[in-house]
Amino acid sequence: MSANFHRIVILTGAGISAESGIDTFRSAGGLWEQHRVEDVATPEGFARNPDLVLNFYDMRRAALANVAPNPAHMALARLEREFRGDLLLVTQNVDDLHERGGSARVLHMHGELKSALCASCETRAPWLDAMLHRPPCPVCQAPSLRPDVVWFGEMPYQMGRIYQALEACDLFVSIGTSGAVYPAAGFVQEARAAGARTLELNLEPSEGSSLFHDTRLGPASVMVPQWVEEMLGG
Ligand code: OAD
């Protein structure tokens, strides 16, 4: 793939963090086999059993201390530094491995583990500690903090900005995502409608593989650095 692109949108999913040791959702033994989605990833589940939900995200937040970015995260950070056109990195991941890999501008459309959302005053604030003990909101002091993670039935963040970039891009690249969750799963069609070339990098063909012009199969830690090298004309 030549470096002849000027506006790239990259979408990442759990597969890019898999080799760092973070469980994906839909693989055998993945998070959605260990937990019921309705219990830990819906507003209704939170209303039913807030302790269960707060504890689930407290454990995932704490687990970030035991993982590190892999060569795929670092390669995307290199692309951000060295690519001369526009680049928008959109992730569905709530981990912080893109940032720790060196990416400065990451759009977390499904929120972040290291952020809290106050259910009372709607403040979003960086948050590194547990929430199970109901710490007060740093702004309104109400004990109403919840994980700043987008649950099923809630609107992902910054969709306006993402669609704007998709409409203007000439290359869309999807990395390590199963294509099972909308609206992210529909980005490839938006990009194609705008005339962009589309590329999927994944371990195995995803549900939406046939929608892409090109698919390259293999582990992200190998495929992403290889593709970045090509893009930068190396
Ligand atoms: P999934 O678990 O659905 O899919 C992960 C994808 O990564 C699969 O297609 C795997 O084949 C691929 N994969 C696994 N290991 C890989 C590796 N080493 N290199 C490359 N690819 C690899 O995760 P997502 O697609 O991210 O949302 O899931 C999307 C959303 O569903 C998540 O953001 C989350 C979840 O429910 C919410 O909770 C709102």
Side-chain angles (χ1 to χ4, degrees):
M1 179 167 280
S2 82
N4 236 349
F5 295 101
H6 301 100
R7 286 176 298 278
I8 308 177
V9 176
I10 298 174
L11 171 71
T12 65
I16 198 167
S17 297
E19 290 163 84
S20 293
I22 297 183
D23 285 341
T24 63
F25 295 94
R26 294 175 179 79
S27 53
L31 273 179
W32 293 158
E33 250 180 46
Q34 301 167 40
H35 306 270
R36 282 160 41 103
V37 179
E38 311 84 291
D39 289 343
V40 297
T42 62
E44 295 77 16
F46 184 53
R48 249 190 333 266
N49 192 343
D51 279 9
L52 176 89
V53 176
L54 292 173
N55 189 49
F56 174 71
Y57 291 96
D58 281 355
M59 305 230 306
R60 290 180 67 198
R61 190 180 311 103
L64 291 180
N66 307 320
V67 297
N70 68 58
H73 298 102
M74 305 210 200
L76 293 185
R78 178 183 166 213
L79 186 66
E80 180 189 286
R81 284 192 304 272
E82 299 181 20
F83 180 63
R84 289 169 174 275
D86 288 340
L87 177 72
L88 180 65
L89 175 56
V90 180
T91 188
Q92 298 166 89
N93 298 344
V94 293
D95 66 55
D96 61 348
L97 294 182
H98 280 305
E99 286 85 352
R100 283 158 62 194
S103 288
R105 295 187 308 275
V106 187
L107 199 158
H108 284 269
M109 64 176 288
H110 289 166
E112 293 176 70
L113 284 170
K114 289 188 174 173
S115 177
L117 170 64
C118 177
S120 292
C121 72
E122 297 186 356
T123 291
R124 299 177 70 193
W127 198 264
L128 306 181
D129 304 326
M131 293 183 191
L132 184 57
H133 60 291
R134 307 298 196 284
C137 166
V139 172
C140 75
Q141 310 302 322
S144 311
L145 295 181
R146 55 161 273 188
D148 188 10
V149 163
V150 175
W151 289 326
F152 287 93
E154 297 180 327
M155 180 62 83
Y157 288 120
Q158 303 211 45
M159 293 309 296
R161 192 166 152 218
I162 296 172
Y163 282 122
Q164 217 172 32
L166 287 169
E167 278 161 26
C169 74
D170 49 19
L171 177 64
F172 172 73
V173 186
S174 170
I175 303 172
T177 175
S178 62
V181 175
Y182 282 83
F187 290 175
V188 58
Q189 282 145 310
E190 295 289 329
R192 283 193 79 140
R197 190 85 194 163
T198 55
L199 167 68
E200 169 176 67
L201 304 177
N202 212 39
L203 195 56
E204 60 204 0
S206 71
E207 287 181 28
S209 269
S210 60
L211 300 170
F212 290 82
H213 292 106
D214 307 298
T215 296
R216 298 183 186 182
L217 302 181
S221 66
V222 175
M223 305 309 285
V224 179
Q226 215 170 68
W227 170 71
V228 166
E229 187 68 28
E230 276 174 45
M231 286 302 297
L232 295 174

